[in-house]
Amino acid sequence: MMSLFDKFQSLSDARHALIQTEPSPIGTRIDEILSSTEGRVDGRSVILAGTNNYLGLTFDRDCIAAAHDALDREGTGTTGSRMANGSYASHTRLEEELAHFFARPSAVVFSTGYVANLGLIGTLAGTDDVIVLDADCHASIYDACRLTGADIIRFRHNDASDLEKRLRRLGERTTNALIVVEGIYSMLGDQAPLREIAAVKRRHGGYLLVDEAHSLGVLGAHGRGLAEAEGVEADVDFVVGTFSKSLGAIGGFATSHHPQLDMIRYASRPYIFTASSSPATIASVRTALQIVDSRGELRQRLWANAERLYHGLSRLGFELGPEPGPVVATLLGSPQQGVAFWHGLLDHGVYVNLVLPPATPGGRALLRISVSAAHDTTQIDQIIAAFAALKPMLDHHEQE
Amino acid sequence: MVHLERLAPPDSNLRPDIDLVSELGLDSVKVMDLMLDAEDEFNISVPLNVLADIRTPNQLAQAINKLLESR
Ligand SMILES: Cc1ncc(COP(=O)(O)O)c(C=O)c1O
């Protein structure tokens, strides 16, 4: 009989074939964090360009001061779930502030973005329902779908006409269908064609959920995300997001214009059966949310950096994701090439994320760079220079 | 089968009862992508939850037939 652990052997073998030495591109140990854009890995100082810290708020003075204050006043943790003893006044205030920020009647705070997707999607849809999701959606959305027992149907990535075709096939069932897309996709950094998707929803019915994990604070005049930027917020029934990227902390939320959203608190197991975020986390997120609203110049700086990096790498001839954004993906040939290139970048003082199939769309290896408003132009240029210096590695490979 | 030929490694011996994942080495994402093509060909939608039980091209054909009949 197989042991419980046998099924991990092939994963372990695959990893070992690719990576035998430290530092490892998978689960890299960052020895020291020096600022929102600098750290130490394996004895080297590196520019952090793989941390989703889009607005650079992890070291914002006001966010840190708010967290310190809450830590002193309310202690290290809530030691309980939102349903029991883990709803402090600050959790409720944050929900009110999120609702106000999104101009929707209510918002629910969860312990992480992953849990927010499980808690909302996993509770909304039931066995007789149907979820139609973009094929490139994040694992948390796929996992949430599995919790529902609903029929799960994928449509081709960013293809509104494919979505329409699949909705048409569903006939009457579309009335209750939950359509799920993301604002900015986490791997290639491309944006959903949300105006077209909203139009499809208007024609066929159903509910539209947008995960703005990578677009909150990044897109829209107020930073509310892609729905705001595209002017289709009225068509978006549910917004899910995370505190772990532009807001620089950890946690997640859902908001909706349906007043019934509040009722999921009584049914959502991922809301009920896990402890709530610590008071310090909630305090820093509340401050970060105010900053998103009040300091639009951070968004401008982020986008200037994103454009500079994207066009710099594009001029060098790298194959990139389809459009500039806070995530700039460089597509590589093979996982082996990815590992070698990642090490090369580290030697040049640049830390990025290596992402390997099957976590990548199209089965390609990619280097995922995340840009921050806190990067200065010199750092962006250093990243470009490191890629330029290593480019011959790829060209050599192509000739083989 | 036609769609499978495109996704399978060259010179694999495609049989109706070949295990798509353990024998053919397709990862779960490739199997899901294979479905998108099959769905268009037959103008049906095969929910992912049905796909979870499918291991071979034969079983896939049966699942598609069942969906076509139930229309
Ligand atoms: C689209 C998307 N949704 C949800 C999450 C999960 O967020 P969190 O890190 O807060 O669990 C992520 C982050 O990885 C994501 O990319």
Side-chain angles (χ1 to χ4, degrees):
Chain A
M1 208 168 95
M2 262 180 54
S3 109
L4 275 181
F5 302 114
D6 284 350
K7 54 183 168 300
F8 307 120
Q9 196 58 48
S10 58
L11 289 173
S12 164
D13 292 346
R15 181 191 161 138
H16 194 74
L18 208 54
I19 299 157
Q20 293 98 16
T21 54
E22 289 295 324
S24 160
I26 298 171
T28 313
R29 187 180 72 218
I30 299 177
D31 291 313
E32 217 179 328
I33 293 281
L34 303 168
S35 72
S36 56
T37 60
E38 298 154 305
R40 290 185 78 77
V41 176
D42 197 40
R44 280 163 283 205
S45 334
V46 291
I47 299 170
L48 297 173
T51 56
N52 309 304
N53 197 353
Y54 302 131
L55 299 182
L57 294 183
T58 50
F59 279 81
D60 179 85
R61 286 218 322 258
D62 295 336
C63 291
I64 288 180
H68 269 302
D69 180 54
L71 185 61
D72 290 338
R73 281 186 301 103
E74 302 190 303
T76 52
T78 67
T79 62
S81 100
R82 296 295 317 277
M83 192 70 158
N85 57 299
S87 285
Y88 290 8
S90 55
H91 293 77
T92 313
R93 290 296 298 280
L94 174 56
E95 287 178 337
E96 289 162 9
E97 286 155 8
L98 278 166
H100 182 257
F101 176 77
F102 281 99
R104 292 174 190 258
S106 68
V108 178
V109 165
F110 294 89
S111 301
T112 69
Y114 180 89
V115 168
N117 273 327
L118 297 192
L120 181 66
I121 299 172
T123 311
L124 273 178
T127 36
D128 295 329
D129 299 317
V130 51
I131 301 176
V132 187
L133 79 163
D134 185 289
D136 281 4
C137 273
H138 188 256
S140 57
I141 294 171
Y142 275 91
D143 290 357
C145 287
R146 276 208 252 175
L147 289 182
T148 61
D151 280 343
I152 312 303
I153 293 173
R154 301 159 88 223
F155 67 93
R156 287 193 166 80
H157 175 55
N158 272 355
D159 187 339
S161 61
D162 197 54
L163 167 65
E164 181 152 37
K165 195 163 65 185
R166 277 154 221 279
L167 288 178
R168 209 179 286 125
R169 274 186 207 142
L170 285 171
E172 279 176 8
R173 293 185 79 197
T174 51
T175 330
N176 257 333
L178 181 64
I179 303 163
V180 184
V181 302
E182 293 177 24
I184 292 181
Y185 284 85
S186 54
M187 288 300 141
L188 293 182
D190 48 341
Q191 300 174 19
L194 203 56
R195 253 174 300 172
E196 294 168 42
I197 288 171
V200 169
K201 181 210 136 177
R202 282 197 297 274
R203 280 199 290 278
H204 292 268
Y207 295 84
L208 177 58
L209 182 154
V210 182
D211 183 339
E212 301 266 20
H214 297 269
S215 33
L216 169 68
V218 166
L219 288 173
H222 299 87
R224 294 201 293 259
L226 182 64
E228 185 192 14
E230 296 293 299
V232 293
E233 286 176 293
D235 296 299
V236 175
D237 296 86
F238 303 97
V239 175
V240 174
T242 172
F243 305 154
S244 72
K245 304 186 195 301
S246 57
L247 301 178
I250 180 169
F253 70 91
T255 179
S256 172
H257 54 240
H258 298 285
Q260 297 95 323
L261 178 74
D262 267 322
M263 294 197 291
I264 70 156
R265 294 180 204 267
Y266 305 108
S268 171
R269 297 170 69 87
Y271 178 84
I272 301 169
F273 293 105
T274 193
S276 64
S277 306
S278 75
T281 300
I282 296 293
S284 81
V285 170
R286 289 179 64 192
T287 306
L289 193 63
Q290 280 172 15
I291 293 175
V292 165
D293 210 8
S294 64
R295 289 175 56 194
E297 71 272 14
L298 288 178
R299 248 182 311 288
Q300 280 165 19
R301 219 178 302 151
L302 167 65
W303 278 97
N305 284 341
E307 303 264 349
R308 189 179 183 94
L309 181 66
Y310 186 92
H311 295 300
L313 294 182
S314 168
R315 269 194 295 275
L316 289 170
F318 283 96
E319 186 184 347
L320 305 176
E323 57 187 312
V327 174
V328 176
T330 313
L331 291 142
L332 300 179
S334 63
Q336 288 77 7
Q337 197 176 56
V339 172
F341 207 95
W342 183 88
H343 278 285
L345 285 173
L346 208 60
D347 289 336
H348 282 81
V350 177
Y351 168 80
V352 302
N353 309 123
L354 174 67
V355 196
L356 300 175
T360 53
R364 303 278 302 270
L366 60 87
L367 289 166
R368 180 182 177 281
I369 315 171
S370 57
V371 185
S372 174
H375 285 129
D376 59 29
T377 341
T378 319
Q379 288 174 316
I380 298 294
D381 290 345
Q382 275 174 275
I383 299 170
I384 297 170
F387 272 81
L390 295 167
K391 180 85 179 11
M393 251 164 79
L394 306 189
D395 300 338
H396 173 68
H397 209 82
E398 274 163 21
Q399 284 158 14
E400 274 175 13
Chain B
M1 270 314 206
V2 180
H3 303 302
L4 197 52
E5 272 161 20
R6 196 163 40 73
L7 286 173
D11 1 293
S12 26
N13 171 20
L14 296 179
R15 312 180 313 272
D17 62 344
I18 193 167
D19 190 303
L20 295 172
V21 176
S22 71
E23 283 188 78
L24 208 48
L26 297 190
D27 60 47
S28 53
V29 177
K30 282 215 183 98
V31 174
M32 291 195 293
D33 288 345
L34 172 70
M35 283 316 304
L36 288 177
D37 295 333
E39 287 175 331
D40 282 344
E41 184 167 332
F42 296 101
N43 191 28
I44 50 166
S45 291
V46 184
L48 282 192
N49 30 322
V50 171
L51 194 58
D53 300 328
I54 293 172
R55 304 197 64 96
T56 68
N58 234 350
Q59 291 169 350
L60 177 56
Q62 278 168 13
I64 291 176
N65 274 332
K66 220 162 101 191
L67 279 164
L68 287 173
E69 280 164 19
S70 69
R71 273 211 297 218

